[in-house]
Amino acid sequence: MLENLHKLRDKALHALESITDSEELENWRIEHLGRKSELSQILRNLGQLSPEERPAVGQLANEVKLALEAAYDDKAKVLKREELERALREQRIDVTLPGRPVSLGRLHLTTQTLREIYAIFGQMGFQVYESPDVETDELNFGLLNMPPHHPARDMWDTFWISDEVLLRTHTSPGQIRVMRERYPEPIRVILPGKCYRYEQVTARSEHQFYQVEGLAVGHAITLTDLIGTLTEFARRLYGPQRRIRIRGSYFPFTEPSIEADMDCILCGGEGCRVCRYSGWLEVCGAGMVHPVVLQNGGYDPDEWSGFAFGLGVERPAMVKYNIDDIRLFYGNDLRFLRQF
Ligand code: PHE
């Protein structure tokens, strides 16, 4: 029996030497140390041995068991290290490979233009106020002094969502929203946003475009403040030599209403293709806030006055970069967008 145990141990240790991975090792453990292994059977059946044999066999069997367990532990450690080394070797990172370039996004030309506009009006003390793209008939028209069926509504071809809801045709409804929120504070804000018009899409007009509305409300605001503000804006955006021209106009929500032009940035007033040989470029529609509109916003027109203007955003960018088709702005053609 003792002899048997020695053999069993030598055989097991010998078998262990040729093992190279943890799966084989586990099989080895089951075979030599598992519940059904020869060694376990010997240990389990010690009681059946004669009292003379039992102590010596018992002692040796236990020694063999400890020896095999120790050998198993050592082997497991070695294998683990080897496997780690192999993994490191095989999955090695080649640091000399060139990296994959990260392609940088960019700001849309409209966003860039908007930010220039924000910065200039920011310097002049205007806050940015955002109002919704989807508006009610009442805010887009009614409260801006255009009751239902008012003929001036025809100036804005409209995308209707229902009888009362529409896509704003201009940023002017924001005027009412700011006034109602800010009363009785004086106001100096710009309201940027997309506007929508049910129009034929051509190289010169889109059914979606940006406007930046301006609104100032205070106790002694006059038309000169408006003209001064627009002149300063044009000069900060296009250079200190710009001149502004004012023409009389009509909007239901301003009185008096004006239209502001500036001398053409390309020809300086001589006349060229960009200004269509007029020497002037349109800047915005504007005017003094109509008393009815002030009232609708909660401001008493006997005490308060204000000016408002509505700037286009794509047009000035078109002039600046010589872009001849407004459809390029929202056509999502990267060949166009990547140029800015
Ligand atoms: N909302 C007008 C338009 O879209 C522009 C405008 C704004 C005119 C503010 C006067 C005052 O045509």
Side-chain angles (χ1 to χ4, degrees):
M1 184 57 102
L2 293 173
E3 174 111 349
N4 227 350
L5 276 167
H6 282 297
K7 267 202 205 133
L8 181 156
R9 182 193 61 198
D10 293 346
K11 203 179 111 199
L13 291 176
H14 185 69
L16 191 61
E17 273 169 31
S18 59
I19 280 174
T20 55
D21 67 43
S22 42
E23 199 184 327
E24 287 173 36
L25 181 63
E26 178 60 8
N27 291 336
W28 180 92
R29 190 191 62 79
I30 292 166
E31 189 184 334
H32 299 282
L33 285 166
R35 279 192 316 114
K36 290 183 186 154
S37 64
E38 221 183 317
L39 181 61
S40 293
Q41 277 166 24
I42 293 172
L43 283 163
R44 214 175 300 126
N45 297 333
L46 280 177
Q48 290 165 20
L49 296 176
S50 63
E52 300 82 55
E53 244 183 335
R54 207 183 297 152
V57 173
Q59 193 187 349
L60 183 61
N62 272 316
E63 278 170 20
V64 169
K65 185 171 182 231
L66 288 175
L68 292 188
E69 280 171 355
Y72 170 85
D73 286 346
D74 287 349
K75 188 74 180 182
K77 264 187 227 145
V78 170
L79 282 185
K80 209 167 159 199
R81 184 165 0 97
E82 275 176 11
E83 275 167 16
L84 179 67
E85 272 166 15
R86 199 180 314 136
L88 285 175
R89 206 178 321 116
E90 284 169 5
Q91 297 158 23
R92 191 168 51 184
I93 299 167
D94 181 353
V95 293
T96 65
L97 269 180
R100 294 193 189 95
V102 178
S103 67
L104 269 191
R106 62 185 63 231
L107 295 176
H108 191 281
L109 177 56
T110 301
T111 309
Q112 294 180 32
T113 313
L114 280 168
R115 289 190 180 182
E116 283 179 55
I117 296 172
Y118 299 162
I120 292 170
F121 282 108
Q123 290 161 359
M124 293 197 261
F126 286 77
Q127 297 174 314
V128 174
Y129 185 101
E130 292 198 340
S131 71
D133 289 33
V134 180
E135 268 296 4
T136 58
D137 175 69
E138 206 191 5
L139 277 145
N140 196 81
F141 293 123
L143 294 167
L144 292 174
N145 205 21
M146 281 177 278
H149 310 298
H150 192 290
R153 287 181 171 219
D154 288 352
M155 289 163 71
W156 295 274
D157 295 313
T158 307
F159 284 112
W160 293 93
I161 288 170
S162 70
D163 285 349
E164 276 102 45
V165 180
L166 47 78
L167 296 182
R168 64 172 167 204
T169 58
H170 51 177
T171 41
S172 301
Q175 290 186 27
I176 302 285
R177 290 181 179 272
V178 191
M179 285 193 274
R180 289 187 169 178
E181 194 183 296
R182 295 286 167 88
Y183 180 82
E185 302 282 317
I187 296 172
R188 207 186 284 179
V189 294
I190 50 172
L191 304 106
K194 208 171 225 185
C195 303
Y196 307 83
R197 290 190 195 165
Y198 187 40
E199 272 181 23
Q200 183 86 31
V201 175
T202 67
R204 284 188 61 81
S205 66
E206 252 286 13
H207 61 251
Q208 51 170 343
F209 54 90
Y210 272 86
Q211 281 190 344
V212 175
E213 189 91 2
L215 174 69
V217 176
H219 282 298
I221 291 185
T222 65
L223 192 62
T224 15
D225 297 316
L226 170 60
I227 296 171
T229 304
L230 294 177
T231 307
E232 190 58 25
F233 168 71
R235 291 184 176 163
R236 291 197 190 185
L237 191 58
Y238 294 107
Q241 73 281 18
R242 289 277 78 83
R243 285 177 297 136
I244 287 282
R245 170 177 89 167
I246 303 298
R247 291 177 284 127
S249 185
Y250 169 73
F251 299 101
F253 34 89
T254 45
E255 181 61 34
S257 301
I258 61 165
E259 224 140 311
D261 304 328
M262 66 177 182
D263 57 330
C264 178
I265 58 167
L266 229 80
C267 63
E270 299 279 294
C272 69
R273 208 179 58 88
V274 169
C275 59
R276 295 168 155 194
Y277 303 97
S278 70
W280 296 93
L281 297 168
E282 251 177 60
V283 176
C284 64
M288 300 308 290
V289 182
H290 195 287
V292 168
V293 176
L294 280 173
Q295 198 128 42
N296 289 340
Y299 288 78
D300 179 354
D302 289 335
E303 281 181 39
W304 297 85
S305 60
F307 67 68
F309 56 83
L311 293 166
V313 177
E314 291 85 357
R315 282 276 154 68
M318 289 173 78
V319 171
K320 185 166 168 189
Y321 294 105
N322 206 0
I323 299 164
D324 58 9
D325 194 330
I326 195 169
R327 289 170 293 195
L328 288 165
F329 279 78
Y330 307 113
N332 277 344
D333 187 335
L334 290 176
R335 289 170 303 177
F336 171 75
L337 296 173
R338 284 194 175 126
Q339 293 179 48
F340 307 101

